[in-house]
Amino acid sequence: MTVMTPAPIDQEDEEMLVPNPDLVEGPQPLEAQIEMGITTDNQQVEDPQISRFTWRMENFSRLNTKKLYSDIFVAGSYKWRILIFPKGNNVDHLSMYLDVADSTNLPYGWSRYAQFSLAVVNQIHNKYSARKDTQHQFTARESDWGFTSFMPLGELYDPGRGYLLNDTCIIEAEVAVRRVVDYWTYDSKKETGFVGLKNQGATCYMNSLLQTLYHIPYFRKAVYHMPTTENDVPSASIPLALQSLFYKLQYSDSSIATKELTKSFGWDTHDSFMQHDVQELNRVLCEKLEDKMKGTVVEGTIQQLFEGHHMNYIECINVDYKSTRKESFYDLQLDVKGCRDVYASFDKYVEVERLEGDNKYQSEPYGLQDAKKGVLFIDFPPVLQLQLKRFEYDFMRDIMVKINDRYEFPLQLDLDRENGKYLSPEANRSIRNLYTLHSVLVHSGGVHGGHYYAFIRPTLSDHWFKFDDERVTKEDMKRALEEQYGGEEELPQTNPGFNNTPFKFTKYSNAYMLVYIRESDKEKIICNVDEKDIAEHLRVRLTREQEEKEIKKKEKTEAHLYTIIKVARDEDLVEQIGRDIYFDLVDHDKVKSFRMQKQMPFNLFKPFSLNSSSKFPTCWSFNRFCHGGDTTEISFLVPITHQNEFGISIKGRMTTKPP
């Protein structure tokens, strides 16, 4: 009998905060940076109540103090106050901060996380009020946070601007305090109802796209209805691999591995560590699914969801001749550079080009002619995918560059605007092309690499969620939209004694792909998907896989309690001695193995190891003893007459009690 250390159970494939210069007496406020360039270890997870506070200051222009605190107010059961520098904190701007009012009396190690906005009310036109918002985790070292350059003093004190009326200034604060949960104990399913996808190395771009497609329920239902069989292998079948992945996303309690899917793509480990293009992956995946759906009950689903058509035309100006060509698209590439928002990009997309002079159009019947060239849309799809051209080739520098310019996109997109300026004469004007934003895919980084994640609102409600690989968190609308516009933000100079003129920094996290759903098709696309839509063999297969996974998980957690015992019986000796073995009793790789608890007595082990056709040998023979480090391996034969007295206890070594 040989006692061995068991093999390990296979595991499943598994902006910088800037302090304000110390220029005045007392604790100094910290400057807020609206976009964080790094991810903290903690994350807000619940929807807090927003507390509002209004501070009215009379005779504001005659204030003769460096800084001024408001009365204390309560938000989230905590005490707060507003701190302002009426003449600026060594800058020519009003400086304003949110301060923890009782920070000196709080226990050691305290912290609280808050999202807040500060505003100077315009008392003539409220819509022109100056407002800024940010978020911060307040601690003893950083007990105040806000904006050194909130607004220019020239604007604030200009009586015609409306910020001072009868020399009264009104400041408002809105504060939402969130509970903070440690990163390592965070449970996405428990906190949001959704689970994430594991990153294989550089597959974050794929994870964000898959989450977006999964949360289009009509698409998910079509994938479930693709014909697959119980004999199919997920790693060799894209439909089955995608069905399996979607099923696990819907019913699992923890993050999901994507190796089966990438293997079905024909990818190896190297591909998983290479970052590909989201648009390219989206097109290839849709083309493969479209091909697999042919001849099935879901044939044409990809076209029904994502396919639109536009018309390329060239129209002669001086003669009656027009050439047109209809083309289909699954997504649209929109220019970012030189465009302030999505509408400006569409304007540029349908912009008319003049063909004249040396660039005249060669028409077949009329020869060279002055002409107009352009594109108009015949129809838009129910699910509109917009690829933002954040990357382009710089011919001057001969390199690819990322465009981080500010680029705005609306919550609702009206493509019938200005009397249908984007539509061709053949377009069906009875279809209302009003779209609502479903998801925002974000790229954070530069042209040579970065990270992808997605903001999605699965039911098109006001609830947004951030899907960042394995982690899913609740987010507000501002974070999903405005903070993904890109562009620049201002930070103050932080070196004391130097010019404190604010300087700008580029935001490298910005929207890369937008998904809109047409309002008139919303009920059809955001449909209910349940187990009735899933094939029986798929449910059985995945239920079995889940049970096996639970067993492996249990074995892994209990592995330290067990050891492997190999038993050589009479028939093993007869079978091997003189045939397969010459210098030992048996070949240990060819005898029966038992996984047993280390503390089990031998008399309890015997029934597991014996059956009606085999028995232990009747002689006593020590065959092998070797000791190395903390591991001991012993081979021996046990006398059958003394098996009730023999005990085994293994804790790094074996101890025996002879007869």
Side-chain angles (χ1 to χ4, degrees):
M1 183 167 64
T2 303
V3 181
M4 305 178 65
T5 302
I9 304 297
D10 289 340
Q11 297 186 18
E12 182 190 5
D13 294 335
E14 303 278 309
E15 293 177 73
M16 191 172 295
L17 307 182
V18 181
N20 190 66
D22 186 11
L23 295 175
V24 296
E25 296 180 359
Q28 285 302 291
L30 299 179
E31 174 68 17
Q33 179 168 329
I34 296 178
E35 174 179 86
M36 303 299 180
I38 57 175
T39 303
T40 62
D41 285 343
N42 298 315
Q43 179 70 36
Q44 67 275 15
V45 297
E46 60 181 17
D47 295 324
Q49 293 294 321
I50 298 177
S51 300
R52 294 175 174 83
F53 173 73
T54 302
W55 184 15
R56 300 177 64 92
M57 289 170 284
E58 299 179 349
N59 302 317
F60 186 82
S61 62
R62 286 180 279 176
L63 291 176
N64 190 24
T65 181
K66 178 70 175 178
K67 61 181 180 179
L68 186 65
Y69 288 98
S70 72
D71 292 336
I72 295 174
F73 63 95
V74 176
S77 302
Y78 298 115
K79 295 179 180 180
W80 307 87
R81 58 185 176 178
I82 301 172
L83 166 63
I84 68 167
F85 291 74
K87 307 299 182 183
N89 187 5
N90 294 286
V91 293
D92 56 355
H93 285 64
L94 173 70
S95 303
M96 184 156 49
Y97 311 88
L98 180 66
D99 177 64
V100 178
D102 55 347
S103 60
T104 57
N105 300 324
L106 293 175
Y108 177 80
W110 69 270
S111 68
R112 65 187 64 159
Y113 178 87
Q115 292 178 305
F116 63 94
S117 68
L118 301 172
V120 177
V121 177
N122 190 302
Q123 300 171 60
I124 298 177
H125 300 289
N126 187 265
K127 66 178 181 179
Y128 296 129
S129 297
R131 184 180 302 274
K132 289 188 178 183
D133 54 332
T134 187
Q135 53 196 333
H136 182 58
Q137 185 165 328
F138 292 84
T139 63
R141 290 175 58 86
E142 300 174 353
S143 61
D144 38 40
W145 195 255
F147 307 92
T148 298
S149 302
F150 185 84
M151 65 180 300
L153 295 176
E155 292 184 13
L156 175 63
Y157 287 97
D158 185 346
R161 293 296 185 101
Y163 297 107
L164 291 183
L165 192 62
N166 298 324
D167 206 20
T168 298
C169 181
I170 302 176
I171 291 177
E172 292 181 344
E174 293 184 355
V175 182
V177 179
R178 292 184 180 268
R179 177 170 58 94
V180 175
V181 175
D182 183 73
Y183 177 87
W184 303 107
T185 61
Y186 183 79
D187 187 332
S188 293
K189 185 76 169 187
K190 178 182 177 182
E191 301 294 348
T192 66
F194 302 106
V195 297
L197 294 171
K198 295 180 180 179
N199 193 328
Q200 295 185 41
T203 56
C204 53
Y205 68 99
M206 181 184 71
N207 291 349
S208 59
L209 177 63
L210 290 173
Q211 290 282 14
T212 300
L213 294 174
Y214 168 81
H215 284 100
I216 301 175
Y218 191 89
F219 178 85
R220 190 195 327 161
K221 179 176 285 195
V223 169
Y224 282 152
H225 282 275
M226 294 178 69
T228 54
T229 69
E230 58 185 5
N231 297 322
D232 290 344
V233 179
S235 59
S237 168
I238 292 178
L240 183 57
L242 201 56
Q243 287 174 347
S244 174
L245 184 72
F246 281 3
Y247 182 91
K248 292 173 183 176
L249 281 173
Q250 190 163 350
Y251 294 107
S252 179
D253 292 328
S254 57
S255 57
I256 310 302
T258 58
K259 281 197 172 183
E260 281 186 345
L261 183 63
T262 54
K263 285 180 180 177
S264 73
F265 293 164
W267 292 4
D268 56 20
T269 305
H270 175 73
D271 291 305
S272 298
F273 282 87
M274 291 287 291
Q275 201 166 79
H276 299 263
D277 181 68
V278 171
Q279 183 183 24
E280 177 188 2
L281 175 64
N282 189 27
R283 288 181 176 177
V284 170
L285 181 59
C286 286
E287 286 174 3
K288 288 186 178 293
L289 290 176
E290 183 181 353
D291 183 62
K292 297 290 184 181
M293 289 178 177
K294 288 179 180 178
T296 72
V297 293
V298 290
E299 182 176 0
T301 299
I302 299 297
Q303 294 95 319
Q304 293 170 19
L305 281 176
F306 304 115
E307 187 178 49
H309 300 88
H310 53 61
M311 178 187 71
N312 294 284
Y313 69 88
I314 298 178
E315 184 177 4
C316 293
I317 297 173
N318 301 317
V319 295
D320 185 16
Y321 181 81
K322 185 175 183 179
S323 172
T324 61
R325 184 179 71 257
K326 180 180 178 180
E327 293 183 353
S328 63
F329 63 87
Y330 284 164
D331 56 55
L332 293 173
Q333 294 193 60
L334 300 183
D335 286 330
V336 171
K337 194 171 185 63
C339 301
R340 69 178 302 273
D341 57 18
V342 171
Y343 289 121
S345 294
F346 269 98
D347 291 343
K348 190 173 182 179
Y349 202 98
V350 301
E351 195 173 53
V352 177
E353 179 185 355
R354 302 278 296 195
L355 303 178
E356 53 190 9
D358 294 336
N359 195 31
K360 286 185 178 182
Y361 172 61
Q362 177 69 45
S363 63
E364 291 184 2
Y366 299 105
L368 292 173
Q369 293 289 328
D370 292 338
K372 298 184 295 182
K373 178 183 178 182
V375 177
L376 289 172
F377 291 93
I378 299 172
D379 57 64
F380 292 104
V383 179
L384 181 62
Q385 300 180 106
L386 303 179
Q387 303 282 349
L388 307 183
K389 295 165 71 173
R390 286 284 183 185
F391 299 95
E392 68 174 27
Y393 186 74
D394 187 328
F395 289 95
M396 297 296 293
R397 292 186 287 169
D398 192 28
I399 56 172
M400 289 293 294
V401 295
K402 183 182 178 185
I403 307 301
N404 291 300
D405 298 351
R406 181 178 177 86
Y407 183 86
E408 299 178 8
F409 45 90
L411 190 64
Q412 280 203 320
L413 179 66
D414 187 0
L415 295 179
D416 288 332
R417 66 194 290 259
E418 298 184 23
N419 199 29
K421 62 187 290 188
Y422 306 129
L423 300 176
S424 70
E426 295 82 8
N428 184 355
R429 302 292 176 122
S430 65
I431 298 177
R432 182 75 172 94
N433 292 303
L434 180 64
Y435 288 83
T436 188
L437 186 62
H438 173 265
S439 49
V440 180
L441 275 69
V442 177
H443 178 264
S444 178
V447 69
H448 298 297
H451 183 57
Y452 289 89
Y453 48 89
F455 292 93
I456 303 173
R457 50 175 184 160
T459 62
L460 300 182
S461 65
D462 292 334
H463 301 292
W464 285 88
F465 299 89
K466 180 182 179 182
F467 294 82
D468 189 353
D469 287 337
E470 298 185 36
R471 198 147 189 244
V472 185
T473 54
K474 295 179 181 178
E475 300 292 347
D476 56 37
M477 186 180 300
K478 181 179 184 298
R479 189 162 179 81
L481 272 71
E482 294 178 32
E483 294 190 16
Q484 311 312 321
Y485 289 164
E488 295 181 328
E489 290 291 343
E490 287 189 356
L491 280 178
Q493 179 67 272
T494 59
N495 294 320
F498 291 88
N499 181 11
N500 282 284
T501 303
F503 64 91
K504 293 183 178 181
F505 70 96
T506 301
K507 299 168 69 174
Y508 290 97
S509 296
N510 36 57
Y512 180 73
M513 176 179 170
L514 308 172
V515 178
Y516 284 90
I517 293 179
R518 189 157 52 199
E519 281 283 340
S520 58
D521 296 299
K522 183 168 61 175
E523 298 300 324
K524 174 184 175 183
I525 294 171
I526 309 297
C527 58
N528 184 49
V529 184
D530 54 32
E531 285 204 350
K532 296 192 301 292
D533 296 299
I534 304 169
E536 176 67 21
H537 77 85
L538 183 64
R539 292 204 301 269
V540 171
R541 177 201 291 263
L542 295 176
T543 300
R544 184 173 64 248
E545 286 181 3
Q546 183 62 28
E547 290 172 352
E548 292 173 353
K549 180 180 176 182
E550 292 299 324
I551 292 173
K552 282 188 175 182
K553 183 178 179 181
K554 185 173 183 294
E555 288 178 348
K556 180 182 176 183
T557 57
E558 297 178 352
H560 66 287
L561 302 175
Y562 289 83
T563 190
I564 302 298
I565 298 178
K566 293 191 174 186
V567 178
R569 308 176 189 183
D570 276 346
E571 57 264 38
D572 296 315
L573 303 181
V574 173
E575 176 77 20
Q576 296 188 34
I577 292 177
R579 298 181 184 180
D580 298 333
I581 200 80
Y582 297 97
F583 301 105
D584 209 338
L585 289 177
V586 290
D587 183 346
H588 295 84
D589 292 333
K590 295 181 180 180
V591 300
K592 194 167 184 178
S593 299
F594 299 90
R595 183 173 181 267
M596 307 301 296
Q597 289 188 351
K598 294 179 178 179
Q599 300 295 334
M600 176 178 283
F602 184 76
N603 63 326
L604 296 180
F605 166 68
K606 178 175 177 278
F608 289 99
S609 60
L610 290 178
N611 56 46
S612 59
S613 61
S614 62
K615 60 181 180 179
F616 278 117
T618 57
C619 62
W620 176 281
S621 172
F622 280 91
N623 175 258
R624 175 186 299 172
F625 181 93
C626 61
H627 179 74
D630 294 329
T631 301
T632 300
E633 182 180 291
I634 302 177
S635 297
F636 56 89
L637 300 177
V638 182
I640 193 70
T641 56
H642 296 284
Q643 85 278 1
N644 290 330
E645 301 176 10
F646 194 90
I648 299 176
S649 176
I650 305 170
K651 295 181 180 177
R653 62 187 303 156
M654 170 179 283
T655 61
T656 63
K657 183 172 68 178

